[in-house]
Amino acid sequence: MKANKYSLIFVTFLTLLSTNLLAQGKPVASFVKATSGEEKKIIVEWEMPAKCEPKIESVQIFRAKKPCSTFQEIQGLNPIAKVDASQNSYTDILSVPGDYFYVVLAETQKGLYKIVIPGVNATTKGVRPKIPAKAAESAKEKEEIAKSPVEPAAENRIRNAPLPNPGTLLGFNQGRAKMSEKSKKAAKELGSQKRPKAVEFKSPYFFEEDMFSPDGGDEYTLFECLRGGLAPKKYAESVQLLQDFLSVHRSKASTERAQFYLGQSHYFCQDYEKAIRCFLTVQDAFPELSKQWIDSSLDLLTIN
């Protein structure tokens, strides 16, 4: 019963994340899925935002032998295919048995958009092609399995030329919340080929109720966590303190604030993917603040 409950929460979170990215018009594939088709085929499907900046020019599909949660995990792989931006599916033809995972990335006017989010633009469950046992056991294929964990598909194979160097990747870092004239100016520059100036790095934010020492209870415990970690800018310690705080059942208000502070702690530790996940969980409680920090995290994630 507990497992089903957590699975439902996880699915809800992924749906929320996909919807948020599509709503912001970011060049990120969503609802990616891979299914076993006819013999030796795996069908990969995805959705792209109808309109986004920078404009999507093509889509690259990567195949791996294990789940991928960051771009670094697929940096050593060549994409198995590069398809038109209007395409929302691709059929991978395989000859080697095994479980395969897929990542779908958009290539924009400013380069490959190097954001990998499990369950959004990366599959989390392995898919096995339907390959006859006799064919799979051939000596040639055994040799291929030993040499390389992933063999690019014979069809639709692209050249092993290096991907174009986009310099500072753009996209998320231009889609900031409309909070200031600076942000509006940045939005007008979308599509420009000029290298952007350094992204603004946010300063720690504290809610008013956490700026003084409460009498006791969850509020006091949270105050002590902040005093020992986030306030003195000990961000790694802050992550641990807040995770310990959240591991125990707390009041709804203190839990939401702690989750927001945990997102900030990950942000200042430069772990922007974890920061985004934290801010997304409390965007209903703090919509404007969450959007600001999500936008800033995405900005920094795309240029690091």
Side-chain angles (χ1 to χ4, degrees):
M1 188 71 178
K2 265 188 178 178
N4 290 337
K5 178 182 177 182
Y6 291 130
S7 296
L8 180 61
I9 292 173
F10 183 65
V11 170
T12 303
F13 166 73
L14 292 180
T15 303
L16 180 66
L17 179 57
S18 301
T19 304
N20 185 73
L21 289 171
L22 285 173
Q24 292 185 23
K26 307 299 184 183
V28 177
S30 293
F31 307 108
V32 64
K33 66 176 181 178
T35 54
S36 182
E38 297 175 2
E39 186 177 304
K40 300 184 181 180
K41 295 180 180 179
I42 291 179
I43 301 167
V44 185
E45 299 173 279
W46 62 88
E47 289 184 23
M48 286 289 184
K51 294 181 180 180
C52 68
E53 289 290 346
K55 183 180 177 182
I56 299 173
E57 295 190 333
S58 61
V59 176
Q60 294 189 16
I61 300 98
F62 293 80
R63 184 202 315 134
K65 289 288 286 181
K66 62 180 182 179
C68 298
S69 57
T70 64
F71 180 76
Q72 284 70 28
E73 293 176 284
I74 62 170
Q75 269 189 310
L77 302 177
N78 289 319
I80 58 171
K82 182 176 180 179
V83 300
D84 188 78
S86 62
Q87 195 165 323
N88 60 8
S89 67
Y90 170 76
T91 300
D92 189 16
I93 301 176
L94 295 147
S95 59
V96 180
D99 291 327
Y100 292 91
F101 299 81
Y102 293 85
V103 177
V104 179
L105 298 181
E107 186 169 18
T108 73
Q109 298 167 321
K110 298 178 180 180
L112 188 66
Y113 210 78
K114 300 179 180 180
I115 301 295
V116 176
I117 306 176
V120 177
N121 65 341
T123 59
T124 55
K125 293 183 179 180
V127 180
R128 183 179 293 268
K130 298 174 182 177
I131 299 175
K134 187 177 288 186
E137 292 173 0
S138 69
K140 183 179 178 181
E141 290 173 350
K142 284 184 179 180
E143 184 180 348
E144 290 172 344
I145 294 172
K147 285 183 178 179
S148 175
V150 178
E151 177 197 8
E155 295 182 24
N156 299 308
R157 183 181 297 166
I158 67 174
R159 299 186 328 181
N160 287 330
L163 292 174
N165 181 8
T168 300
L169 290 176
L170 302 177
F172 281 142
N173 57 332
Q174 299 287 359
R176 301 178 66 82
K178 296 180 180 179
M179 298 169 51
S180 65
E181 289 302 317
K182 184 176 181 179
S183 296
K184 292 177 183 177
K185 183 179 178 181
K188 291 179 182 178
E189 295 174 356
L190 287 169
S192 169
Q193 296 301 315
K194 294 180 180 179
R195 185 183 179 94
K197 294 181 180 179
V199 175
E200 180 184 353
F201 199 71
K202 296 187 73 64
S203 300
Y205 176 88
F206 296 94
F207 295 96
E208 287 186 14
E209 47 266 66
D210 298 314
M211 292 183 179
F212 57 89
S213 179
D215 293 333
D218 292 342
E219 307 295 327
Y220 177 77
T221 307
L222 177 56
F223 178 84
E224 288 297 303
C225 289
L226 297 175
R227 190 166 69 170
L230 190 58
K233 299 183 179 181
K234 298 177 180 179
Y235 301 124
E237 290 90 332
S238 181
V239 168
Q240 188 59 58
L241 288 169
L242 290 166
Q243 285 177 338
D244 291 344
F245 177 86
L246 290 166
S247 67
V248 179
H249 181 71
R250 307 288 183 179
S251 68
K252 184 175 183 293
S254 62
T255 296
E256 288 172 342
R257 297 202 310 279
Q259 192 71 36
F260 192 88
Y261 290 131
L262 179 58
Q264 290 191 58
S265 302
H266 284 308
Y267 175 96
F268 293 118
C269 286
Q270 299 183 32
D271 196 338
Y272 302 117
E273 291 185 16
K274 287 183 180 178
I276 291 168
R277 293 187 177 96
C278 290
F279 295 132
L280 280 169
T281 62
V282 292
Q283 68 175 359
D284 288 339
F286 317 114
E288 291 301 321
L289 276 174
S290 295
K291 179 168 176 53
Q292 295 170 29
W293 285 84
I294 288 171
D295 285 346
S296 182
S297 299
L298 292 171
D299 291 348
L300 293 162
L301 183 60
T302 55
I303 65 170
N304 280 282

